[in-house]
Amino acid sequence: MRIGELARRTGVSERLLRYYEDQGLLAPTRRASGYREYSPSDVVVVAHIRNLLAAGLSTATIADVLPCMGKDGERLIADCPELVDDLHRERERITASIHALEAARATLDTIIATAPPTLTRTAAT
């Protein structure tokens, strides 16, 4: 299938699909005309990329771990021992980010709580 069809099937823009290719996440074949040719399995690959991005992984990290992931139907599974270590590091990084965001939110809650009631009501409307 061509890039427009992959974009339609995945809901991902053609521009983003080209970016994924530039990052080494997708490897379409090229026709003699220069058009990209994607396989039906690329629809699943794009879904996996989107899920890993949503999990907080960078495209560089995804490029490293995606080839080492197996599939159990539509679900990704860790298929290499070194992958598990990388994923644990990513999980720790995400956890640290969550803690930092929670601390920032607590600071804002403290500052908001000190505001006079008239300002609080104005901001709420």
Side-chain angles (χ1 to χ4, degrees):
M1 80 185 86
R2 295 197 16 210
I3 194 167
E5 178 64 16
L6 183 62
R8 188 186 65 71
R9 287 188 185 189
T10 61
V12 174
S13 72
E14 292 179 21
R15 181 176 179 193
L16 196 49
L17 293 171
R18 287 186 201 97
Y19 174 75
Y20 292 166
E21 181 183 355
D22 290 342
Q23 298 300 304
L25 304 176
L26 287 174
T29 57
R30 291 285 186 149
R31 292 182 174 180
S33 62
Y35 286 111
R36 293 168 176 85
E37 185 73 26
Y38 295 92
S39 69
S41 65
D42 286 324
V43 173
V44 175
V45 172
V46 170
H48 292 320
I49 293 166
R50 301 300 294 166
N51 285 333
L52 292 169
L53 286 168
L57 276 63
S58 68
T59 55
T61 300
I62 294 170
D64 289 340
V65 301
L66 198 58
C68 199
M69 296 187 110
K71 294 170 187 73
D72 179 16
E74 299 277 320
R75 190 175 67 128
L76 285 174
I77 57 173
D79 213 17
C80 301
E82 63 274 12
L83 174 63
V84 175
D85 291 339
D86 290 341
L87 294 177
H88 277 294
R89 275 191 294 280
E90 285 297 317
R91 187 178 191 288
E92 289 168 6
R93 182 190 59 77
I94 291 168
T95 299
S97 294
I98 289 168
H99 291 311
L101 286 169
E102 288 173 338
R105 182 181 57 199
T107 299
L108 287 176
D109 288 345
T110 300
I111 294 168
I112 290 167
T114 65
T118 55
L119 291 179
T120 304
R121 278 188 240 115
T122 303
T125 52

